[in-house]
Amino acid sequence: MSSTISEPKAYRAGKLAKLIDGLRYQGGIGQWSWLVHRVTGLGILLFLVIHVVDTFFVVFNPALYDHTVAIYGGVFGGTYYWPLRWAFRLAELGLIATVLFHAVNGVRVILFDFWNEGCKYQKESFRAVLLVFLALMIPAAIAVILPLATAPEHITQIPENVATARP
Amino acid sequence: MARNRIKPAGGFELTAWYFMRISGLVLVFLAVGHLFIMHIANNVENINYAFVAGRWADPRTGWIWRLWDLCMIGLAMFHGFNGLRQILDEHVHGAKARVAMHTTIWTVMTALIVLGTYAIWMFQEDRAYVEQWKAMNAKAVALQPPGAIHPSGGSHAAIRGKLPNIAGD
Amino acid sequence: MSDLADPNTGQIRWRDLTLRIKRYDPEKDREPHWQEFKIQAHPMDRVLDVLMKVKWEQDDSIALRKSCAHGICGSDAMRINGQNNLACKLLVQNVKGKTITVEPILGLPVIKDLIVDMKPFFDHYKAVMPFLVNDDPAPTTERLQTPEQRARFDDTTKCILCACCTTACPPFWGNREYVGPAAIVNAHRFIFDSRDQGAGERLDILNDSEGIWRCRTVFNCTSACPRGIQVTQAISEVKRALITGVVDIPEEAEVLS
C-alpha cells in the first residue's frame, strides 16, 4: 500500500533536554530538597572514595600519609602555601555542610517512610531541617574558620620512613 | 486481622530500600560523630600518622575506634554505592548496560571496603617512625616557638616563603 | 476584544497576557520550539479558555486534548507555568505575572504540540490490576463494608488518570519503566479495599525492580494532583504494607459478617 503522507514521528526528549526541562519544573520545596539531597549524596561518595584511599596509606607508608594530610594544612612538598590552607579549610567547611544537610534531611525522609503522619508535614519538616542544619552549621563554621585567623603554629616536620614494624 | 496478612516482606529492591533507611540512621551518629571528632574537637591540621596511631593502637580504647571505623566504612560504602546505583538505574535502561553498571559499582565498592578494612584491621603502629617524628617536631617547636616563625604578626602573605623548606632541609 | 468586557459593571479588567506555547509539528520540526501569542483574557477565564481562544482566533493548528473541560475527564493535563495542572482547573486570576507558559507534560513522547503519547502511562496503570479481585461466590446483594472501611481508600478513588502526578515525578522523567505514582494510587485504591482479595498480587507487582521502590519522596506528585490526592502518603502506605506484610484495613463490624 502506498502512502503519500509520511509517518509522523513522536518527539522524545534527550537526556540534556529532560534535565533542563526537569530543572525548570516548579516543584517547590519537595523537589529542591530531593535534588540537594541527591547532589550532596554524590559529593559525599566522591569524597569517601578519596578518603578511603588516602587513609589506606597509613598502613603501609606513614611518611606518605603524613605528606598527604599535611596538604590539608596548606603544606605541599614541605612548603607552606596559605591559599592552599584556605582552600582546604573552605572545602572542609563544604564537606561538613554537605554531610550535615544529607544527615538531617535523611532523617526527614525516614520520617516520611516510618511515621504515618510524616507526609503531612512535608514543607514544615523542611523548614525544621534548615533550622537544625543552621543550628549545627554556625558553630561548626566558627570552629573550622577561626584557626585561619592565625598562621599555623608550626610546620610539622615529616621524617623518612623507617622500614620496620609494618605488616 | 488474619486476612489482612499478605505475605512476609522480601525482594532485593525492598531490602535495599530498607537498608538505606537503617544504615542512614546509624550513619547519622557514626559519620557526624566522626566529623565532630576530626574537625571540631581536633584541629584537622593536627591529624597525622601519630594521631591515627594513637587512636587505633591504644591498648585500651583502640578497639572502640577500630570497630567504629569498620562499621562506618561498611555502612557508608554500601549506602553510598547503592545510592549511586539507584541514581544510575534511572538513567541506564538497557539490560546489558545495567548489568555492566551494577557489576562495576559492586566491584569498586568491594575493592574499597577491602582496602579500608585492611587498613583498619591490619594497622600496626610504626613506633620507630612515631619516635623519630616526635623527636624532629619537639626540636622544631623548640627552635621556632609560635611568634618566632611569624614575626610580622598576622599576614599569611608575609610568612609565605619565610618558612623553612622542610623537604630541602 | 475589549468590547467583550462586562457591559453592566464595566469593572472587570481584562488582562493583557502573553501565551507561550511549546510547539512541535511532527511533520516539520525536529525539536519543539516556543511560540508566543498576545491575548486579552478575563480573570475568570480558565487557561483552557485562553488556549481555545488563541486556537480559534489566531492559530488553528495548535493541538491539544480536551474533553469535558470541567476537571473530571483528565484529558487536558499540561505543564502550566512550570507545574503540571489541568488547563480547565486553573483560572487566569490565579496565574502570576503576565505570561502563561504552556508545554506538554514531561517524560512521555510528544505527538504534536501539547499532545503526548499516553500509552506508557496506561500500560503501568493496567499492570497493577485496577479492578476488583474477589473470587468468593457473588453475593445476591451488594458486598458490604463499614464507613470506616470505605474511608480507608477514599482519597485514592478520586484519581482521574490525567497523568499530572506521574509526569511530575523526577524518577519517571529519567526512567519511563518506573510504574509511577498514578498506578500506585490506583493500586492503593484496591489494596486497601476490604472487598478486594488481590492485594498480595498487586503488592508483588509493585515490589518489582521498576516498582514502588523507585519513589524518592519528591512530593511533586502531591503538589501537582488536580484532585488534591495525597499521592506520596498513599505511596508510603503501600510501602509500609510491603515492608510489614500487613495491609492495614479497619476491622469488619460484627453486623456485616
Side-chain angles (χ1 to χ4, degrees), chain C residues 217-230:
Chain C
T217 53
V218 184
F219 284 91
N220 274 6
C221 49
T222 307
S223 53
C225 181
R227 307 281 295 174
I229 300 173
Q230 297 303 304

Side-chain angles (χ1 to χ4, degrees), chain B residues 35-48:
Chain B
L35 276 181
F36 179 80
I37 293 169
M38 295 301 182
H39 297 267
I40 311 293
N42 288 288
N43 183 344
V44 78
E45 285 166 16
N46 296 338
I47 289 168
N48 49 34

Side-chain angles (χ1 to χ4, degrees), chain B residues 4-68:
Chain B
N4 294 342
R5 177 134 207 118
I6 298 304
K7 65 186 174 81
F12 174 74
E13 288 292 342
L14 185 153
T15 314
W17 180 90
Y18 197 47
F19 170 80
M20 288 304 266
R21 268 80 197 152
I22 302 304
S23 61
L25 220 46
V26 178
L27 280 169
V28 166
F29 296 101
L30 290 183
V32 175
H34 180 76
L35 276 181
F36 179 80
I37 293 169
M38 295 301 182
H39 297 267
I40 311 293
N42 288 288
N43 183 344
V44 78
E45 285 166 16
N46 296 338
I47 289 168
N48 49 34
Y49 183 82
F51 179 90
V52 177
R55 260 161 64 97
W56 280 352
D58 188 287
R60 285 194 299 119
T61 56
W63 66 274
I64 298 174
W65 300 119
R66 291 201 200 213
L67 188 65
W68 179 317

Side-chain angles (χ1 to χ4, degrees), chain C residues 176-194:
Chain C
R176 208 176 287 152
E177 299 293 309
Y178 168 43
V179 68
I184 302 173
V185 159
N186 284 281
H188 178 284
R189 184 250 169 273
F190 287 100
I191 289 169
F192 291 91
D193 187 337
S194 61

Side-chain angles (χ1 to χ4, degrees), chain C residues 41-253:
Chain C
H42 191 281
M44 296 297 280
D45 273 349
R46 300 160 299 182
V47 172
L48 181 65
D49 297 324
V50 177
L51 271 165
M52 291 316 289
K53 205 181 269 179
V54 170
K55 183 174 165 69
W56 288 327
E57 296 172 1
Q58 298 187 39
D59 186 344
D60 63 358
S61 71
I62 295 170
L64 71 151
R65 284 198 188 98
K66 74 164 187 91
S67 186
C68 80
H70 288 79
I72 295 300
C73 72
S75 53
D76 62 350
M78 53 189 75
R79 184 159 148 186
I80 305 162
N81 283 353
Q83 194 174 28
N84 287 356
N85 207 333
L86 298 179
C88 58
K89 282 208 80 165
L90 187 63
L91 295 181
V92 166
Q93 65 176 2
N94 294 332
V95 172
K96 286 178 199 142
K98 291 203 159 225
T99 307
I100 303 179
T101 307
V102 177
E103 47 194 311
I105 46 182
L106 184 59
L108 294 168
V110 180
I111 295 171
K112 191 179 181 191
D113 294 343
L114 303 171
I115 299 177
V116 295
D117 181 4
M118 298 280 276
K119 189 173 183 300
F121 173 79
F122 282 114
D123 282 349
H124 290 314
Y125 171 63
K126 286 176 199 158
V128 300
M129 310 199 300
F131 41 80
L132 188 83
V133 176
N134 191 328
D135 294 333
D136 291 347
T140 50
T141 59
E142 298 89 341
R143 296 179 200 270
L144 295 177
Q145 60 184 173
T146 64
E148 291 75 34
Q149 286 172 335
R150 175 61 179 73
R152 182 69 189 82
F153 60 94
D154 184 66
D155 199 34
T156 44
T157 59
K158 297 180 203 156
C159 178
I160 54 173
L161 296 171
C162 64
C164 274
C165 58
T166 295
T167 56
C169 172
F172 184 81
W173 296 336
N175 181 7
R176 208 176 287 152
E177 299 293 309
Y178 168 43
V179 68
I184 302 173
V185 159
N186 284 281
H188 178 284
R189 184 250 169 273
F190 287 100
I191 289 169
F192 291 91
D193 187 337
S194 61
R195 300 164 296 187
D196 183 83
Q197 294 173 348
E201 213 172 329
R202 287 194 193 88
L203 288 175
D204 226 18
I205 293 161
L206 292 176
N207 201 15
D208 186 77
S209 61
E210 303 291 3
I212 193 166
W213 306 112
R214 289 250 181 277
C215 167
R216 302 265 87 89
T217 53
V218 184
F219 284 91
N220 274 6
C221 49
T222 307
S223 53
C225 181
R227 307 281 295 174
I229 300 173
Q230 297 303 304
V231 184
T232 318
Q233 173 72 25
I235 295 174
S236 287
E237 286 170 10
V238 177
K239 279 179 188 163
R240 268 195 286 279
L242 266 164
I243 284 281
T244 58
V246 174
V247 177
D248 147 45
I249 298 175
E251 292 281 347
E252 271 178 49

Side-chain angles (χ1 to χ4, degrees), chain A residues 25-148:
Chain A
Y25 190 85
Q26 302 289 314
I29 285 175
Q31 186 181 341
W32 287 111
S33 65
W34 160 80
L35 192 65
V36 176
H37 195 76
R38 172 163 287 197
V39 172
T40 51
L42 285 173
I44 295 167
L45 182 63
L46 181 68
F47 169 77
L48 214 56
V49 172
I50 299 166
H51 187 48
V52 168
V53 173
D54 73 26
T55 305
F56 184 67
F57 297 159
V58 85
V59 79
F60 75 98
N61 196 334
L64 180 61
Y65 180 77
D66 273 350
H67 279 294
T68 308
V69 293
I71 299 173
Y72 298 135
V75 179
F76 182 72
T79 314
Y80 172 70
Y81 302 94
W82 70 266
L84 194 65
R85 182 171 180 243
W86 274 78
F88 270 96
R89 278 281 155 166
L90 293 177
E92 185 191 350
L93 197 62
L95 174 73
I96 294 172
T98 304
V99 173
L100 274 183
F101 179 85
H102 199 82
V104 182
N105 194 55
V107 173
R108 168 173 171 261
V109 172
I110 293 172
L111 284 179
F112 296 150
D113 297 322
F114 294 133
W115 177 41
N116 196 28
E117 307 287 301
C119 291
K120 283 184 197 159
Y121 305 108
Q122 191 253 125
K123 291 180 180 163
E124 291 82 348
S125 61
F126 187 69
R127 283 183 206 116
V129 164
L130 287 185
L131 275 178
V132 174
F133 173 74
L134 285 177
L136 294 171
M137 201 53 213
I138 290 169
I142 293 169
V144 168
I145 292 301
L146 217 53
L148 282 182

